[in-house]
Amino acid sequence: MYTRALGTRDGTSVVALSDVSPTWMAVHNRILTEECDRPAAATWHPGDVDRMLREERVDTAVVCTVDALHEGHIVAALRAGCRVVTEKPMVTTAEQARRVLDTVSETGGDLSVAFNYRFNPLHSATRDLLAAGRIGDVLSVHFEWLLDVRHGADYFRRWHRDRASSGGLMVHKSGHHFDLVNWWLGTVPVTVYGVGRLAFYGSANGARSGLRRDYDRAHGETAADGDPFALRLAGDPELRALYLDAEADSGYVRDRNVFGDGISIEDDMAVLVTYASGATMTYHLTAYSPWEGYRVAFNGTRGRLELEVEESTWAAPDQAPEGRVLHGVAQAPDSGAATLRLRPLWAPPEDVEVDHTHEGHGGGDARMLAALFDPAASGHAMIATPADGVNALLTGLAANRSFTTGHAIEIDDLRRNGSPRP
């Protein structure tokens, strides 16, 4: 996404790429030269990132690698005097967050977190309605997120299935939603209680449900034939180039069995959050749903606001997972309706018309990229700060800790020392 976006923008040039895989970087250079008609970028190993930033005279560093590795690249770029844009989550631990915040303070550097969901027109319209007091003071929020068996399963094929790499879905995926609620309500979390488990994916669950096939990864395995959960890298040119052809130098296997061993994250999570404003949120993430989308309801002193989005209506067995859908460039071809409904007290409900599209993240990607990289664009005030990144992260980290302790977690304990007490 970033390579194409920067390669087609006036006044920007991709001058360097850094990754463990030369094959991966060659794919991106083909995008620059063949699609964007731009010069190829210099290629560097991550171990030389400090020298790369200096010798290539990098103005802006975009960090979009494995979540657990964000911190090292952010800190290096800030110390090199670069502006930094990082994918969410900003980092994956409280200790990493503290080092990033300390570096921002020491350097006076510019760090933005790419919470693209803020830029979805439905979400910005929701914030405007709440800020205008259309339902009065918000007392409670219910947020249900459903990932279907195409998209949701994908987190259990790839590196996200390893908690040490991603922080689990509470950090990697739900950070989107925790940031939205903080932003919508203009508040920060105070306490978090949660219950989470691996209920659907994984070897034992697959054996119990009868959905498990006996293979480690799908490519070249006859046992994966006909499995609707299998990702077929060889059949998609971009997936083949990015992953299958790069395995020799990256070591990364992209098409693991979602019902295999070695999964250390949850797929079913329920969370209760209290906020400094006095509001509460009940949140539930299901990663194995027949359809994909979300429902958010805000209950206030003067009414209720409801947001419902269908991103896929259902997944047929012959609709094999497809990389560009899974990576957010476009939504599923069967994307359904979106409704934003205001229900005032003592008055009929009102549907709010919003220009919503089926482009990446409801049109949020294009708007976010413009705000980040086009000085004349609108939306700069919507860009997430390091503090925003931390507040979203801490909700997820506290939920993870609550899963294991069975206790509610005080956010201030995480802020102070990274080791919350019940």
Side-chain angles (χ1 to χ4, degrees):
M1 182 179 77
Y2 289 102
T3 300
R4 288 189 170 102
L6 295 173
T8 54
R9 270 182 160 72
D10 293 337
T12 65
S13 299
V14 180
V15 296
L17 298 164
S18 172
D19 193 75
V20 295
S21 169
T23 305
W24 182 90
M25 291 187 285
V27 171
H28 283 255
N29 267 330
R30 284 199 295 276
I31 292 171
L32 287 173
T33 58
E34 298 175 10
E35 294 185 24
C36 305
D37 195 25
R38 296 289 185 92
T43 57
W44 291 76
H45 189 275
D48 295 323
V49 68
D50 292 317
R51 193 158 63 91
M52 177 196 76
L53 294 168
R54 183 177 64 253
E55 293 189 10
E56 302 294 347
R57 300 168 61 193
V58 174
D59 296 309
T60 298
V62 179
V63 180
C64 46
T65 185
V66 173
D67 296 347
L69 303 178
H70 286 186
E71 179 242 348
H73 294 285
I74 292 169
V75 168
L78 288 171
R79 288 179 175 162
C82 300
R83 175 195 179 211
V84 184
V85 174
T86 182
E87 263 300 315
K88 61 84 198 158
M90 186 176 81
V91 291
T92 57
T93 71
E95 292 76 16
Q96 289 180 343
R98 185 173 298 108
R99 287 192 289 271
V100 167
L101 293 180
D102 287 347
T103 306
V104 170
S105 179
E106 291 165 7
T107 63
D110 182 352
L111 170 62
S112 302
V113 185
F115 282 121
N116 49 12
Y117 263 43
R118 289 185 175 206
F119 294 86
N120 182 319
L122 284 165
H123 301 159
S124 53
T126 298
R127 185 173 188 262
D128 291 343
L129 290 167
L130 295 173
R134 296 294 299 276
I135 64 167
D137 296 333
V138 178
L139 304 178
S140 67
V141 182
H142 176 67
F143 199 138
E144 180 186 23
W145 188 276
L146 300 165
L147 289 166
D148 71 16
V149 285
R150 289 177 297 198
H151 186 185
D154 206 42
Y155 294 103
F156 298 85
R157 299 186 187 100
R158 57 192 192 192
W159 57 262
H160 303 78
R161 75 202 319 240
D162 175 22
R163 183 180 303 280
S165 296
S166 68
L169 291 178
M170 285 288 97
V171 169
H172 175 81
K173 184 65 179 174
S174 297
H176 268 314
H177 319 142
F178 299 147
D179 173 69
L180 276 178
V181 175
N182 295 341
W183 183 63
W184 278 331
L185 303 187
T187 190
V188 294
V190 175
T191 63
V192 178
Y193 173 75
V195 178
R197 60 180 179 147
L198 183 65
F200 182 80
Y201 300 108
S203 182
N205 295 322
R208 183 166 53 251
S209 66
L211 294 171
R212 187 181 188 280
R213 304 286 188 92
D214 189 20
Y215 63 91
D216 178 55
R217 53 93 50 95
H219 180 67
E221 292 289 341
T222 57
D225 292 347
D227 183 3
F229 290 93
L231 178 64
R232 293 164 183 82
L233 298 173
D236 183 286
E238 192 159 302
L239 289 179
R240 172 182 279 279
L242 280 172
Y243 301 112
L244 196 59
D245 294 347
E247 284 182 10
D249 51 41
S250 70
Y252 175 40
V253 176
R254 176 67 175 78
D255 59 344
R256 297 286 189 192
N257 187 348
V258 300
F259 297 110
D261 296 319
I263 297 173
S264 55
I265 66 172
E266 300 84 8
D267 57 24
D268 193 295
M269 293 139 276
V271 179
L272 174 64
V273 184
T274 66
Y275 292 93
S277 67
T280 61
M281 176 178 69
T282 52
Y283 175 87
H284 198 280
L285 171 60
T286 302
Y288 51 90
S289 172
W291 69 279
E292 178 150 320
Y294 50 104
R295 301 186 182 103
V296 191
F298 304 85
N299 298 299
T301 55
R302 296 187 178 184
R304 176 179 169 97
L305 182 63
E306 299 169 344
L307 172 63
E308 180 168 328
V309 178
E310 277 190 352
E311 293 182 336
S312 75
T313 54
W314 66 292
D318 60 348
Q319 290 178 312
E322 196 275 330
R324 284 177 289 278
V325 169
L326 301 180
H327 285 86
V329 175
Q331 291 179 2
D334 59 342
S335 295
T339 304
L340 182 59
R341 181 167 295 151
L342 184 65
R343 296 182 182 272
L345 295 181
W346 318 116
E350 171 191 343
D351 283 350
V352 180
E353 296 297 325
V354 178
D355 183 20
H356 177 257
T357 74
H358 290 312
E359 298 170 356
H361 295 99
D365 288 346
R367 291 174 174 86
M368 179 192 72
L369 291 165
L372 286 169
F373 299 113
D374 296 343
S378 61
H380 297 282
M382 294 166 62
I383 296 171
T385 67
D388 297 329
V390 169
N391 286 326
L393 169 71
L394 290 177
T395 306
L397 291 180
N400 283 341
R401 184 61 63 94
S402 185
F403 295 164
T404 59
T405 65
H407 300 286
I409 303 299
E410 297 285 341
I411 291 289
D412 276 350
D413 287 340
L414 277 171
R415 291 188 193 280
R416 282 193 294 266
N417 54 35
S419 300
R421 59 184 183 274

